[in-house]
Amino acid sequence: MQNLDPEQYVERLAQLDFSVDLFRDALDLAAADVRNCTDFDAPAMRGFTFWSRTNRYLAEALDPEGWQRTSRDSILRMIHPSMSHAVTAISAKGGVGDLNAKVRSKNPKGAAMARMVERNGQFALLSHDEVLYGRELDQIPTWCLLYEWDKGVISAELSLPIKMNGMFVDEWQERIPLWLPDLGDPGSDITLLDDPGDGSGPDVVVELLGG
């Protein structure tokens, strides 16, 4: 599903009951919230706020459509009504939105994410009709809305992870770039901390702002 034209990517999103507008709006609202942070907030507040609010706005948009929310293991997911797939937002590093470049999760992930990604690798090739209703949560393929802030610009893609190497998610079954309008500069790095850790894996490394 790589190197398609933009219209085909839009069609692929529609097959998953997503749209570019859904992700644009969630990221745009989260960026606006980050701008309300000040230097009197904790150093990692902007990154944590962007992660939390992006997932919140995805949830608020999808909930009326019958999607279910879960925050188990501190992975904020919305699950499709058919139980065929789920989505979560995390920060990323590398060529986000550029299929010719490698991309990985920005921050280290713990055991819960590793289990989820491993399950993705086992079930990612199932068709929609082959997916059974009522599966265990870890058996539901979970797509990641990957976002990156670089020089005042937010880039994003929707990708299906299938493998972690070490503490980072860096192998993907499918990547769908998202062409976003200028969302405005949130004013600082939004990827300093994108989750509180699942409590069952290694310690999360927190990068602090300089100055």
Side-chain angles (χ1 to χ4, degrees), residues 23-45:
F23 299 124
R24 178 203 63 201
D25 291 347
L27 293 166
D28 189 31
L29 290 168
D33 289 344
V34 168
R35 293 186 196 100
N36 289 324
C37 294
T38 75
D39 290 340
F40 292 102
D41 282 303
M45 186 67 178

Side-chain angles (χ1 to χ4, degrees), residues 113-181:
M113 180 67 76
R115 289 194 302 271
M116 186 196 80
V117 171
E118 180 182 0
R119 289 291 189 176
N120 277 356
Q122 295 175 12
F123 291 95
L125 298 181
L126 293 179
S127 70
H128 179 87
D129 292 338
E130 291 173 314
V131 175
L132 300 178
Y133 287 76
R135 286 196 277 162
E136 293 294 324
L137 181 59
D138 285 344
Q139 294 179 338
I140 298 175
T142 297
W143 291 77
C144 291
L145 171 60
L146 304 178
Y147 57 82
E148 182 180 33
W149 177 86
D150 183 45
K151 298 178 181 178
V153 176
I154 298 175
S155 302
E157 65 180 65
L158 183 71
S159 297
L160 185 65
I162 55 172
K163 189 174 180 181
M164 284 179 63
N165 287 294
M167 298 167 64
F168 298 92
V169 186
D170 62 356
E171 294 192 27
W172 315 89
Q173 173 71 27
E174 185 176 347
R175 295 174 62 190
I176 304 174
L178 301 174
W179 283 272
L180 302 174

